[in-house]
Each structure stands twice: as structure tokens, then as C-alpha cells.
Amino acid sequence: MVRQGILSLFREGLRKTRESLAGRLEGLWAGHSQVDEEFYEELEAILLQADVGVETTRELLSGLRERSRRQAWRTPEDVRLALQQQVEELLRQGGAGELARAATPPTVVLVVGVNGTGKTTSIGKLAYWLRSRGHKVMLGAADTFRAAAGEQLEVWA
């Protein structure tokens, strides 16, 4: 059984992450009076540091730049609203969320990445999602850096 204190710590960590990203974006909107290349470079850095991913960040920025040219945006507020719309659209386009599966069981999903980027949380959420659809799931924490990875998986799964 997972201790209630651990769950509180995880919730607090996610709150801090959300507030950090929101704060950095708010700083970007407030720190610029016009939309220029410097503005887009800062937005790109914020998205990449938030683990949005290179391909998705490029797609978002390309769409924003194109719409900005067509609609002659001048203020960061215009970009903020469009970014929100684009992110919502990307999430809607996600489709049924199907994962690639092995031709014969078991299907193994290996997740690797830089420390502190949300891998363990994402794995737990994925396990929960798969279980809610009737799949059998086995998790194994192989985190050599953090002894609490197993407990964190327990909470999220």
C-alpha cells in the first residue's frame, strides 16, 4: 500500500511543474510588446524545456508563424490565443490513442530519457490507461538514480 504522504508529494511536484511552465509563458507574454524572432526563439526554448518535444514544438511554431504572417499579428496576446487553440487541436487529433503492439504477446514498452522529465509519471499513466481498457500490465522500475521510482509507479498506475 502506498503511503498517503507520497501521493501528496507527487501532487505537489506536478503542481510546481504546471505553475513553472505557466509562469514562464506568462513572463514571455508580459516581457514582449511585439511579436518578433526573439519572441519566437524564447517560446521555442520554453516549449522544449517543458518537454513538448522537438517535432511538436516545430509544428506549433510553424503554424503560429504562418498564422501570424497571414493575420498580421502584432501582440503576444494574439500568439497566446492561437497557441492555446493549436495545442487543443493537437490533443484532439490524437485519435483513439492506439499503441503499436507486438504481433505476439507480450508487447514491451521501454521508456528512456533524461532524469526529471516525467518518464515515471507518464509510464504510470500509460499503465492505468491500458488497464482501464482491459489489458494486463506489468511494470518494472529500472531507475538507478531514484530508489522511489517503484513507489511512484505504484501511485500513478
Side-chain angles (χ1 to χ4, degrees):
M1 188 69 175
V2 177
R3 296 182 306 255
Q4 186 62 28
I6 293 174
L7 184 57
S8 296
L9 288 173
F10 292 139
R11 284 186 178 144
E12 177 66 13
L14 290 175
R15 183 189 63 77
K16 288 178 183 176
T17 300
R18 182 182 63 248
E19 288 175 359
S20 173
L21 174 59
R24 294 188 68 211
L25 287 172
E26 287 303 319
L28 176 66
W29 311 140
H32 288 268
S33 59
Q34 63 182 9
V35 177
D36 56 13
E37 190 55 32
E38 181 184 337
F39 173 87
Y40 282 117
E41 287 175 8
E42 285 184 43
L43 177 57
E44 179 179 28
I46 290 169
L47 294 174
L48 290 172
Q49 291 168 2
D51 248 357
V52 170
V54 174
E55 186 177 325
T56 302
T57 296
R58 284 185 185 155
E59 185 178 332
L60 288 170
L61 289 173
S62 174
L64 289 171
R65 283 184 168 117
E66 176 60 31
R67 288 177 69 182
S68 178
R69 279 190 288 273
R70 280 195 326 253
Q71 298 175 10
W73 292 339
R74 298 289 179 247
T75 68
E77 181 64 17
D78 295 326
V79 176
R80 184 188 70 77
L81 294 172
L83 176 62
Q84 182 179 351
Q85 291 169 353
Q86 278 189 241
V87 169
E88 288 173 1
E89 180 61 29
L90 280 174
L91 293 173
R92 276 194 294 276
Q93 290 175 1
E98 293 300 317
L99 295 173
R101 298 185 54 91
T104 59
T107 296
V108 176
V109 177
L110 175 65
V111 178
V112 297
V114 178
N115 290 338
T117 58
K119 294 177 303 298
T120 305
T121 300
S122 296
I123 292 165
K125 289 177 180 182
L126 176 61
Y128 178 84
W129 183 81
L130 288 167
R131 286 184 56 213
S132 72
R133 282 153 181 75
H135 299 283
K136 293 180 181 178
V137 176
M138 177 188 292
L139 296 173
D143 195 322
T144 59
F145 183 70
R146 253 180 342 106
E151 289 178 344
Q152 184 180 357
L153 279 174
E154 236 181 279
V155 169
W156 286 113

